[in-house]
Amino acid sequence: MSKGDFSALASSIQAVASPFRQYLNDLHERYQGALDGAVADYIPELALADPNWFGICVVTKGGQVFEVGDCDKLFTIQSISKAFVYGLALEDHGRDYVNSKVSVEPTGEAFNAIVLDEATNRPYNPMVNAGAIATADLIKGDSATERLKRMLAMFKRYTGRDLDVNVPVFLSEKATGYRNRAIAYLMLNFGMVTDRVDETLDLYFQQCSIMVNAKDLAMMAATLANGGINPVTGERALDEHYVQDVISVMLTCGMYDYSGEWVYRVGLPAKSGVGGGITALAPGKLGIGTFSPPLDAKGNSYRGIKVCEDLSRDFGLHLFNVAKASHDLDDWLTGSGADSW
Amino acid sequence: MPKVVSIHSYRGGTGKSNFTANLATTLAMQGHRVGVVDTDVPSPGIHNIFSLEPEQAPVTLNSYLWGEAAIEEAAYDVGGAAGIAAAGRLFLVPSSVKADDIARVLKDGYDVKLLNDGFRKLVKALELDYLFIDTHPGLSKETFLSIAISHVLILILRPDKQDYQGTAVTIDIARQLNVRKMLLAINKAYSSLNFDVLKQKVEETYGAPVAGIFPLSEEVVQLASEGVFCTKFPDHPVSQEFSKVAAHITAEG
Ligand SMILES: Nc1ncnc2c1ncn2[C@@H]1O[C@H](COP(=O)(O)OP(=O)(O)O)[C@@H](O)[C@H]1O
Ligand SMILES: [Mg+2]
């Protein structure tokens, strides 16, 4: 056994024995039986989800991966895609231009509201459907295929693996997306999007239909937490200058019209999707990915919120926390000092 | 807080199982709730000391590792057999002695994560104060796991060159795995040796405390693993040495 073999084995054993893994196990056990909320059913593909599916994954800045429950189960990314596509738009055009097309103002309106800022005609922020469609419009590429490929390549840099679009979900979203079509044409009317509206709508429906798992969501969040570099592959996914832009809108607008209370209670930049996923991060520390299909009245994963609340409280992850947390993150990750028995 | 105590040695036949059984029984006699898991899956043996016959124990650690049973279903109350009056204090999770079962584990291995989760479930289900892990000699994934999770690691060595060298390797690894507390126990020491000098020498060599020195004992050999020594011969010096080691374990908060 060479030194390298030994340290690889030792670190894998330490991950198994880590008190933090145990903490996540307990968290999973605590909420597995919580069956509040309802699975999204506006398209048949989502209604098929089993309410019992439940995965929690945490990836640290150092690339340690902790998984409990259904972390490999694939589901559609839905609105979570919006935050990351916003990052790509920033890379494509820079901050000023993107700001001129999409504002960064939280809105108390529902995510699918047909409202634009009255003075500027800009959609309120990139996390509501209007803003996300305007953002998708900004993605560069000579053809629909190239734009989609660029998006998928971007997601691959975050997750470290190839992702696919779920075609039946895409077609369902497209077939029933009247409201989004209306929003897009309203924005075209105001000159806020280019006239390739149908192509952009397809791109938007496709970006929402990308299949991910809880581990991907944790890896994506950890990549942002790590300054835009995937902590496992070492590959850069987002220009470091735009990391703060993306996580700012996640913080203020990421959890639909629960965002204000979310900042107050949890205080982590996050984005949820109606597929049951949540991606959340503690900048400079770790990324969290949760998957549990039942949604609360605001459209956020019920168990996912519980998990993030507990993690934030117990480890003092709230961005504005200045008090000593009951659990020291480093101690729990390394096993030194922490006792999870 | 429950405490996990792993008993290990680099080589076989050092007296791990005998030591585990006696220490566990000593603590159970003091009123603690104690569980023992035989993780020596390739060569199980501690069930003999607790007089648990394979026919009485159809569900084993193997059953749990293969997903056929909950770990607590593989736990047997061995207090009576160990000579403790009170029931519900001392439990053993044995490993299977069936050749096919052993072969299956050796061939397919098992997920150490599952073993770790099993330890924790057992501690919860039986509300244990102490969990003892009897191990297979040498270094393996399972050994690493038991070192990494235990509150106290007890390394047993005999006064023998091969044991000395192996113990040094194990200690090195235990330190790299951030072991919380490590104790040494010297077993099968000839009565002609000066125990105080031996203790001092071993402590200096390894930089770890020697919690007890056990003489090579004819009475232990005579008992031949059919019963727990410390309840059969409570006043014997060997039994008193076990009480000393037990005090080391209960002392810390
Ligand atoms: N102090 C001792 N004096 C004499 N024999 C001992 C002593 N300790 C253990 N033995 C005997 O040594 C043998 C091996 O002990 P065991 O506990 O099974 O070792 P291990 O589990 O390390 O393989 C057994 O026959 C046991 O009775
Ligand atoms: Mg043994």
Side-chain angles (χ1 to χ4, degrees), chain B residues 154-202:
Chain B
I154 301 179
L155 292 178
I156 303 192
L157 64 155
R158 292 162 299 198
D160 176 295
K161 177 91 191 283
Q162 292 192 52
D163 281 22
Y164 285 145
Q165 197 166 63
T167 302
V169 173
T170 312
I171 287 178
D172 187 31
I173 282 171
R175 293 213 165 106
Q176 291 189 55
L177 286 168
N178 296 324
V179 67
R180 297 178 222 208
K181 183 183 167 81
M182 186 160 50
L183 299 173
L184 303 175
I186 302 169
N187 194 23
K188 303 191 181 181
Y190 295 104
S191 44
S192 56
L193 287 167
N194 181 329
F195 282 17
D196 289 336
V197 172
L198 179 63
K199 176 174 149 81
Q200 204 188 338
K201 230 180 90 183
V202 168

Side-chain angles (χ1 to χ4, degrees), chain B:
Chain B
M1 273 289 194
K3 263 191 190 179
V4 182
V5 183
S6 291
I7 288 86
H8 187 63
S9 65
Y10 185 78
R11 297 180 65 224
T14 48
K16 288 183 295 299
S17 297
N18 184 57
F19 191 93
T20 307
N22 277 279
L23 205 56
T25 304
T26 304
L27 285 170
M29 270 197 306
Q30 293 174 4
H32 301 291
R33 294 179 62 83
V34 181
V36 178
V37 182
D38 189 357
T39 69
D40 189 354
V41 185
S43 46
I46 194 167
H47 56 274
N48 290 305
I49 307 177
F50 289 121
S51 314
L52 184 68
E53 299 301 327
E55 308 81 65
Q56 303 166 256
V59 183
T60 59
L61 180 65
N62 307 59
S63 325
Y64 164 72
L65 293 173
W66 296 328
E68 293 162 3
I71 184 118
E72 58 269 27
E73 291 173 59
Y76 300 88
D77 188 336
V78 292
I84 307 173
R89 288 245 184 88
L90 182 58
F91 301 89
L92 173 68
V93 174
S95 266
S96 174
V97 288
K98 286 188 200 147
D100 283 343
D101 290 351
I102 294 173
R104 181 170 163 193
V105 172
L106 294 180
K107 183 167 154 280
D108 300 340
Y110 60 87
D111 186 354
V112 284
K113 237 190 238 179
L114 205 55
L115 186 61
N116 183 40
D117 293 345
F119 292 152
R120 290 174 186 268
K121 288 213 187 84
L122 189 68
V123 166
K124 271 198 193 142
L126 301 179
E127 298 175 42
L128 300 178
D129 301 312
Y130 292 95
L131 177 71
F132 282 83
I133 304 175
D134 188 15
T135 63
H136 185 65
L139 298 172
S140 63
K141 273 195 306 197
E142 295 76 15
T143 309
F144 282 25
L145 177 72
S146 50
I147 291 174
I149 64 167
S150 35
H151 296 89
V152 185
L153 169 67
I154 301 179
L155 292 178
I156 303 192
L157 64 155
R158 292 162 299 198
D160 176 295
K161 177 91 191 283
Q162 292 192 52
D163 281 22
Y164 285 145
Q165 197 166 63
T167 302
V169 173
T170 312
I171 287 178
D172 187 31
I173 282 171
R175 293 213 165 106
Q176 291 189 55
L177 286 168
N178 296 324
V179 67
R180 297 178 222 208
K181 183 183 167 81
M182 186 160 50
L183 299 173
L184 303 175
I186 302 169
N187 194 23
K188 303 191 181 181
Y190 295 104
S191 44
S192 56
L193 287 167
N194 181 329
F195 282 17
D196 289 336
V197 172
L198 179 63
K199 176 174 149 81
Q200 204 188 338
K201 230 180 90 183
V202 168
E203 287 185 340
E204 268 170 24
T205 309
Y206 298 114
V210 171
I213 303 186
F214 296 82
L216 181 71
S217 150
E218 210 159 294
E219 286 89 344
V220 173
V221 178
Q222 266 168 6
L223 184 57
S225 300
E226 292 191 57
V228 181
F229 190 86
C230 67
T231 47
K232 296 230 174 206
F233 306 94
D235 300 323
H236 194 280
V238 163
S239 304
Q240 282 163 10
E241 197 70 5
F242 278 121
S243 298
K244 257 176 57 184
V245 178
H248 267 274
I249 290 169
T250 51
E252 317 286 311

Side-chain angles (χ1 to χ4, degrees), chain A residues 103-115:
Chain A
S103 178
V104 289
E105 210 53 61
T107 154
E109 307 283 341
F111 65 94
N112 58 0
I114 308 187
V115 283

